[in-house]
Amino acid sequence: MLKKRLIAILPLFNGIVVQSINFNRYLPVGKPEVCIDFLNKWGVDEIVAIDITARRKHSTVNFEQIKRVSEYCFVPLTVGGGINEIEDIDRLLQCGADKISINNNLFSNPDLISKAAKKYGDQCVVASIDVTKNENGYYIYSYLSNLVTNIPLDEALRIAIGSGVGELLINAVHRDGTYKGYDIELFNEVCSKVRVPVLACGGAKNAYCMIDLFNKTNVSAACAGNFFHFSEHSVNTSKRLLIDNKIGIRLETHANYCLNSFDSNGRLLKKSDETLEKLLYLKIEKEII
Amino acid sequence: MTKLLINIIDYGVGNTHSIAHVLKYLGYSVRISDNHDEIKNADALILPGVGAFDVAVSNLRANGLEELLNELVLVEKKPILGICLGMQLMATYSEEYGYHKGLDWIKGCVVKLETSPEFLVPHVGWNNILPVQKEPLFSRADSETNFYFDHSYYFKTDEPKDIAAYVNYSFDITAAVQKDNICGVQFHPEKSQNNGLKLFRSYINSIEQYA
């Protein structure tokens, strides 16, 4: 059976991974290669790196940086930020990106997506759509102006599907960095209208939010940014909780936390003294491939 | 024994860097090239591919690589591994954006995934595969092994004996093919963490035995 995915989103602000709060405040997290190395070792399913400053500076994502950081990535890497030309996509794929993410150009240059899908196949193109909620429903949010546009969600979905994207990364801006959990209603609405995989983002607080998301919607992946950076083994501990709650997901890291218990916030609880005592004598060999 | 030299064929539509990096990580000598002489003197070839069939196949033809590869693979029997689109190119023809002739190394066609409604297309993510031929690709794989898939079209082979593994997604889809010195995988071993590393190790070890 196809497994659900946990995807880490790395917003790059002038080349540094940041924590984003409501798309207008940013706190530094660290170097992307360090984040990618850890996430990869903790068994994340995919990584999305998006340069959120490129478009504002009228430039593209830093190709050399992507080439360097992709060396730490043994899972699929999606890259976005200021992609304007098909040549940018050629170069990114040569630099170790596996998919590309288009946000702004979905509206200003949908031809780019059609061209990319024709050249690299629809599976290579991800549309990243920032959505926010107001009294009239869901509308597209422009991260460039920090304003809600008058484009309704339906219109954005129509353009994206019409131009042939392979996946939709839906970012709930009103939940971004709030720890309020995923907007279930939004993702159900999107899933009912499209037949491509939907990647849900915005508001994850802990693994219980992801369990809730997978139980109540048909999304293919739960994405999170902030939440993965602040605790050791955040990916594999979350996956353990998901598996314990009957969500089909991949967990193959050596540390699989099968004998651990968790608190109501998804935090790892200390093992009993007896168990710890026994662990002292367990030799763990590194797997040699 | 001299060290094996693996050549990743660069024809403009591949994630060559990702594959080269994984092979280097495993300690092999890798070259990314479209130069005919360099391809000729490599011990093994990898045909990568991310993209649409027609662009890929016309790039191969434009570089004169089709003739060269036919000679090396079909006559000299040089080992070759196709990845994703690289495997699909080995088919007789493809129906992606029209009708396009492939390399015709393994009889069959590449067709759109027509799944029941609950199975989304493209087929993206980690899925368990069912190996039917363990050697050489899956000799190190566990009984339940998963790989990262990302595709909208699949390779429907004429002969079931050419299939090395299936993946179930609404129905049984070809996950890997093999025929003599030709192997191909639909998934992305270079992006499948340890399971992918094991596949490359098994495959290249099997070549070293005969080298």
Side-chain angles (χ1 to χ4, degrees), chain A residues 106 127-132 137-140 152-161 165-174 182-201 213 216-221, chain B residues 117 120:
Chain A
L106 179 61
S128 155
I129 301 179
D130 300 327
V131 183
T132 193
Y138 291 109
Y139 282 83
I140 302 309
L153 171 63
D154 280 6
E155 173 73 4
L157 296 180
R158 197 185 55 75
I159 297 173
I161 300 299
V165 302
E167 288 177 287
L168 293 173
L169 169 59
I170 306 287
N171 214 328
V173 179
H174 52 293
Y182 292 96
D183 185 342
I184 303 291
E185 191 195 335
L186 167 65
F187 297 117
N188 269 331
E189 189 174 327
V190 176
C191 288
S192 70
K193 287 177 177 152
V194 300
R195 273 212 66 208
V196 297
V198 175
L199 323 176
C201 188
L213 175 75
K216 293 181 181 162
T217 74
N218 286 326
V219 299
S220 302
Chain B
L120 306 171

Side-chain angles (χ1 to χ4, degrees), chain A residues 1 3 40 45-46 71 73-76 94 98-99 118-120 122-123 166 195 250 252 287 289, chain B residues 15 17 21 50-52 115 117 119 121-122 124 126-128 146 148 150 152 169 191 193 195 198 201:
Chain A
M1 195 195 70
K3 295 164 200 314
N40 182 67
D45 294 316
E46 264 184 72
E71 310 233 318
C73 194
F74 291 83
V75 294
Q94 281 158 14
D98 299 287
K99 298 188 239 182
K118 281 229 169 65
K119 183 163 183 190
Y120 289 106
D122 53 3
Q123 86 295 330
R195 273 212 66 208
R250 186 182 68 101
E252 293 176 341
E287 186 182 18
I289 295 170
Chain B
N15 54 345
H17 183 73
H21 170 59
V50 170
T115 54
F119 292 90
V121 177
V124 190
W126 305 79
N127 208 337
N128 283 352
N146 56 54
Y148 186 84
D150 194 4
S152 305
Y169 190 66
K191 289 287 158 182
Q193 288 202 320
N195 293 340
K198 285 183 194 171
R201 185 69 88 201

